[in-house]
Amino acid sequence: MNQIVEKQANRLIYEKSPYLLQHAHNPVNWYPWSEEAFQKAEKEDKPIFLSIGYSTCHWCHVMERESFEDEEVAQALNDFFVSIKVDREERPDIDSIYMNVCQALTGRGGWPLTIIMTPDKKPFFAGTYFPKSSIRGRMGLLQVLERIEEGWDNNRERVIKSSNEIVQVIQDEENQRIDEISSKEMAEAVDKTAEMFSDYFDRKYGGFGTAPKFPTPHNLMFLLRYWKLREDDSALEIVEETLDKMYRGGVYDHIGYGFSRYSTYDKWLVPHFEKMLYDNALLAITYLEAFQARGEEEYAEIAEEILTYVIRDMTSEQGGFYSAEDADSEGIEGKFYLWTPQEVKDVLGEELGTEFCEYYDIATKGNFEGKSIPNLIGNNERKAKLEERFGEAKQKLFEARAKRVHPYKDDKILTSWNALMIVAMARAAKSLNKDIYLEQAEKAIDFIWNNLRNEDGRLLARYRDGDAAYLAYVDDYAFLVWALIELYESSFNAKYLKMALELNDDLIRYFWDDKQGGLYLYGSDGEELITRPKEVYDGAIPSGNSVATFNFLRLARLLNDNDLQEKADSQIKAFWNQIKEDNIYYSYFMSSLLFVLAEGREVIIVGNREANDTKEIRDALRDNFTPFTTTLLKDERNSELLSEIAPFIENYQQIDDKVTAYICQNYTCQSPTTDLDEIRERLM
């Protein structure tokens, strides 16, 4: 039996990636990214056909059905190319380099990413999705392959010259470090960013720009911090309007919770139905921050629903979080999530079913391909009232929907995305005062620490089916340091702060550019590719460099560490010429600038963390949106370890055996106090 499977399958059958395994039985003779593939291409004098995608990518599935499962396409690829498949979520280094090539050559990018290159990895052709044959002005894959074959055979010199020029261009895109940046320049940059977001804001439907419309929660995080620093209510209004409209749209799963990847409509009605772990992590964080900023319970409830979805559907038994759920089921996009009025009434009965359909826009004609996506667009009734009326009904519909064929779940566990969800869980534990979220965050950290490091302690990027692989990238380190800082400020367990510092040291050791500053995408001990990029663009998720900059600033302030402050300054100088222009594409980095500009506040609490008076201070911190505040807690249980990390903490003692707060702001420290009312007032 094994012999039959191996004969029918290509080399991807031995991989762990769900995306690669989806292609393991294609007639294309796929190779994973490997020396074997490149040696074969060099020996046989063939170009490389590189295809990059991910398991829940709708158009990746379409291209597979149309082309990679097709015998005619497979023969062309097998005869004249060496074909390589890459999972972009496992190898973001490869994806980043060749996506930059595609954007430079074509002016756009996306997945599936199609690259054709020489055996020494130098690209000379790039594109995204291609149909099998040319249609409606779009060149077909067969025609592309035919032209490439002709050029490779008859005009090789021109092809090689082109590939060398492309590589030279991307290697020359090194950031030029500048010597100094004034506070005034930083202030002008963040003000310009806020103005640009105001200009791009969709005042009718919320969000930014037109369809397709992405959540990009870190844009909203920036605006919340801008509102806090500048007391600019218009920034807060943009955040609130966007969060409300996204939740009420079809991009939110009102039956089973969680957000889909993006909306194909301006008004958030029709999503691209895949659900990504990172989107839901960042959105949960943003709704929690809005809850702290406004005290609006509805935001907390939405955040909890997101986390309910993740704990229920996206968490492994060991505690790690899965990557994504597909848009398709039974080969049809969105089928799992759609309803007809009759289907609703079959579950809820005629009267309640009719009422539910009226509220959630489920009509006979449908709002998507003859069926309906439940949504609350145009319905402004409070969430609490809707839950009171339809909470049980939604549970019944959820149970009925659970009997359908589910979308495919990508069950690989990525360090970087898990770290973002750990941030969300830790923030929920802190802002909602619920231990369940702290327990989930701690379990996930334990899973990563025990399963996603090699014998030398080097962090790894991906875990699946008992196998951990790929040296971790800058995002893995930066996001996990962020997660550990949040876990510390949620639990005040000093071991998390120590772990954060250890990882931060490794981040600098493996990724830091000693000449120009900034962090490379992959480590000095990683595979050498045609270039070693430094990413700062905050796309679907914040960049590793943006998050690392914020981490350096927070750790420097927490621990009075001048070296980390210098690292943060160096980051800003390294990327300044890039980020100061198209500001809105670097919104998380701009949040770091807000942290620099704010009159930061350091709080040191000395007292038993379980004592009632200490808990009251922690409650005061929890109940307010304090993005520019750092907090250390010294008590008997963590005093020794905290002193090891931050020796200066020895100078801070309790007064009269009472919980004592030391609060400093803008380089000035107030006298320590044991008066709880005074402490609360100072923390507002």
Side-chain angles (χ1 to χ4, degrees):
M1 181 66 181
N2 288 337
Q3 290 181 338
I4 295 174
V5 171
E6 289 182 11
K7 184 177 180 181
Q8 292 176 339
N10 55 54
R11 285 167 176 77
L12 300 185
I13 197 67
Y14 303 110
E15 297 298 305
K16 292 294 186 181
S17 158
Y19 176 63
L20 299 188
L21 290 171
Q22 286 172 358
H23 293 265
H25 293 277
N26 294 164
V28 177
N29 186 24
W30 291 114
Y31 284 76
W33 183 277
S34 60
E35 279 306 307
E36 180 188 9
F38 292 107
Q39 288 172 3
K40 176 180 172 68
E42 186 173 359
K43 180 180 178 181
E44 298 181 6
D45 192 30
K46 291 180 177 178
I48 299 283
F49 179 87
L50 173 64
S51 179
I52 303 176
Y54 57 102
S55 69
T56 58
C57 165
H58 173 71
W59 286 102
C60 298
H61 299 330
V62 173
M63 193 165 176
E64 179 187 20
R65 287 195 297 267
E66 292 178 347
S67 296
F68 302 142
E69 292 179 350
D70 181 84
E71 295 290 346
E72 185 180 6
V73 172
Q75 184 174 348
L77 286 169
N78 295 341
D79 287 349
F80 302 110
F81 298 84
V82 173
S83 300
I84 295 177
K85 262 287 175 193
V86 166
D87 182 340
R88 67 172 293 262
E89 295 168 356
E90 286 190 336
R91 295 300 305 265
D93 51 344
I94 297 170
D95 177 63
S96 174
I97 290 168
Y98 293 106
M99 183 60 74
N100 286 339
V101 169
C102 184
Q103 290 171 332
L105 290 180
T106 69
R108 62 189 182 89
W111 299 275
L113 176 60
T114 303
I115 298 288
I116 301 179
M117 59 188 183
T118 64
D120 56 354
K121 306 174 187 175
K122 295 178 180 178
F124 58 88
F125 177 88
T128 53
Y129 161 78
F130 292 94
K132 175 186 173 182
S133 301
S134 299
I135 183 172
R136 293 189 294 275
R138 192 180 192 96
M139 185 178 290
L141 184 59
L142 284 174
Q143 287 70 43
V144 169
L145 299 179
E146 184 179 344
R147 290 189 184 187
I148 297 296
E149 180 194 347
E150 182 180 347
W152 186 258
D153 290 342
N154 301 322
N155 206 346
R156 180 78 60 88
E157 189 174 319
R158 181 179 175 185
V159 169
I160 298 300
K161 182 174 183 292
S162 173
S163 69
N164 287 332
E165 288 173 351
I166 292 168
V167 171
Q168 190 62 51
V169 168
I170 61 176
Q171 288 178 342
D172 287 345
E173 289 181 345
E174 192 66 43
N175 296 297
Q176 294 301 309
R177 178 190 173 95
I178 67 172
D179 293 330
E180 201 56 59
I181 306 159
S182 68
S183 294
K184 181 182 178 183
E185 288 176 293
M186 289 190 198
E188 289 172 348
V190 298
D191 288 341
K192 179 184 173 185
T193 306
E195 289 170 10
M196 291 177 73
F197 277 127
S198 180
D199 290 342
Y200 282 110
F201 178 56
D202 182 343
R203 300 188 183 280
K204 185 174 182 181
Y205 296 119
F208 305 99
T210 58
K213 192 176 280 184
F214 290 80
T216 48
H218 38 290
N219 295 346
L220 305 179
M221 294 180 198
F222 164 81
L223 288 168
L224 280 169
R225 284 158 181 75
Y226 187 82
W227 161 74
K228 185 72 173 181
L229 180 64
R230 293 284 196 250
E231 298 182 349
D232 184 337
D233 288 340
S234 65
L236 183 60
E237 288 168 8
I238 290 173
V239 173
E240 290 189 289
E241 187 74 8
T242 299
L243 291 178
D244 184 66
K245 292 292 174 58
M246 284 196 301
Y247 161 70
R248 293 185 180 277
V251 74
Y252 186 70
D253 180 0
H254 292 272
I255 305 300
Y257 310 145
F259 279 89
S260 293
R261 180 69 194 89
Y262 62 84
S263 174
T264 60
Y265 277 45
D266 288 357
K267 61 180 179 178
W268 304 103
L269 174 60
V270 179
H272 182 44
F273 289 88
E274 64 182 324
K275 290 180 179 178
M276 311 301 293
L277 183 69
Y278 60 78
D279 281 320
N280 283 284
L282 292 167
L283 282 162
I285 295 166
T286 308
Y287 277 99
L288 288 166
E289 290 190 347
F291 164 63
Q292 287 184 302
R294 298 290 290 129
E296 176 57 68
E297 290 289 339
E298 187 162 298
Y299 294 141
E301 291 163 4
I302 296 167
E304 287 210 78
E305 288 183 352
I306 295 171
L307 299 182
T308 295
Y309 156 69
V310 171
I311 293 170
R312 183 191 65 218
D313 294 344
M314 300 297 287
T315 305
S316 71
E317 289 184 7
Q318 304 100 313
F321 303 113
Y322 299 137
S323 294
E325 288 191 303
D326 208 333
D328 301 6
S329 56
E330 301 181 78
I332 300 172
E333 184 175 7
K335 182 176 181 179
F336 180 75
Y337 300 99
L338 303 177
W339 295 86
T340 65
Q342 191 56 53
E343 287 172 334
V344 172
K345 292 172 187 176
D346 286 344
V347 176
L348 302 181
E350 186 69 27
E351 184 177 345
L352 181 58
T354 299
E355 187 180 8
F356 186 91
C357 289
E358 288 174 357
Y359 270 79
Y360 284 89
D361 187 30
I362 299 171
T364 303
K365 65 178 182 179
N367 55 36
F368 179 70
E369 297 185 358
K371 289 194 172 185
S372 292
I373 305 162
N375 70 90
L376 291 166
I377 295 172
N379 186 326
N380 295 318
E381 188 158 338
R382 302 289 295 171
K383 189 176 191 306
K385 284 286 187 182
L386 287 168
E387 287 302 311
E388 185 180 326
R389 182 173 299 181
F390 295 120
E392 291 184 13
K394 288 201 295 183
Q395 179 61 30
K396 289 179 181 178
L397 291 170
F398 172 78
E399 292 169 2
R401 194 181 74 174
K403 297 173 184 177
R404 299 176 178 178
V405 176
H406 284 247
Y408 173 80
K409 185 175 297 182
D410 186 331
D411 62 355
K412 69 176 179 290
I413 295 170
L414 298 172
T415 299
S416 59
W417 298 4
N418 268 245
L420 293 177
M421 187 52 71
I422 292 167
V423 172
M425 293 287 179
R427 287 282 192 89
K430 179 181 176 181
S431 60
L432 305 177
N433 197 23
K434 293 190 177 182
D435 290 341
I436 182 176
Y437 301 122
L438 182 60
E439 291 165 5
Q440 289 291 153
E442 291 181 324
K443 191 174 180 182
I445 279 287
D446 289 345
F447 176 84
I448 291 172
W449 210 251
N450 295 328
N451 294 281
L452 277 152
R453 293 190 303 157
N454 64 19
E455 294 177 356
D456 298 324
R458 179 71 157 88
L459 199 61
L460 300 173
R462 186 270 290 150
Y463 177 94
R464 184 175 184 271
D465 195 22
D467 177 73
Y470 306 111
L471 293 176
Y473 308 100
V474 66
D475 287 10
D476 299 297
Y477 276 91
F479 294 0
L480 198 56
V481 171
W482 181 16
L484 287 162
I485 295 171
E486 297 293 346
L487 257 178
Y488 170 73
E489 290 202 333
S490 178
S491 68
F492 290 116
N493 187 332
K495 78 172 185 179
Y496 295 126
L497 197 52
K498 183 177 182 181
M499 291 163 69
L501 287 170
E502 289 174 0
L503 280 181
N504 204 62
D505 287 344
D506 285 348
L507 170 71
I508 294 167
R509 178 182 303 116
Y510 291 115
F511 299 90
W512 185 255
D513 180 354
D514 290 323
K515 295 179 180 178
Q516 296 287 343
L519 297 157
Y520 291 112
L521 177 57
Y522 61 90
S524 55
D525 56 343
E527 177 186 355
E528 186 175 351
L529 301 172
I530 60 171
T531 186
R532 197 175 175 205
K534 286 184 283 187
E535 297 282 354
V536 70
Y537 171 69
D538 296 323
I541 57 177
S543 69
N545 270 294
S546 294
V547 172
T549 304
F550 217 144
N551 293 342
F552 293 159
L553 289 165
R554 291 178 71 186
L555 289 171
R557 191 176 288 174
L558 270 167
L559 304 174
N560 292 341
D561 191 318
N562 289 330
D563 289 341
L564 287 177
Q565 182 62 55
E566 288 177 7
K567 279 287 186 289
D569 293 342
S570 185
Q571 285 281 93
I572 296 169
K573 293 172 184 177
F575 295 111
W576 180 252
N577 284 331
Q578 190 171 346
I579 66 171
K580 71 177 182 180
E581 297 302 327
D582 297 321
N583 310 54
I584 59 172
Y585 301 115
Y586 309 101
S587 60
Y588 200 85
F589 205 104
M590 288 293 162
S591 290
S592 297
L593 298 190
L594 288 171
F595 193 87
V596 173
L597 293 168
E599 294 182 354
R601 182 168 53 192
E602 300 93 45
V603 178
I604 297 176
I605 304 167
V606 186
N608 184 337
R609 82 177 76 169
E610 300 302 330
N612 288 333
D613 49 6
T614 306
K615 287 181 178 179
E616 285 192 44
I617 297 176
R618 293 176 67 179
D619 287 346
L621 287 165
R622 184 189 75 230
D623 292 341
N624 295 288
F625 181 54
T626 55
F628 310 122
T629 297
T630 57
T631 309
L632 286 174
L633 186 145
K634 176 186 176 184
D635 72 356
E636 291 180 1
R637 282 184 293 178
N638 72 2
S639 177
E640 185 176 343
L641 181 55
L642 195 58
S643 297
E644 176 188 329
I645 300 166
F648 68 88
I649 202 73
E650 290 292 337
N651 299 322
Y652 294 85
Q653 303 294 331
Q654 280 184 298
I655 297 174
D656 298 331
D657 293 324
K658 296 179 180 178
V659 64
T660 306
Y662 296 78
I663 301 174
C664 302
Q665 188 162 4
N666 195 26
Y667 308 106
T668 303
C669 294
Q670 303 167 12
S671 58
T673 180
T674 60
D675 187 304
L676 291 179
D677 291 332
E678 184 180 350
I679 292 170
R680 288 192 204 93
E681 186 176 339
R682 289 187 188 181
L683 292 177
M684 289 295 287

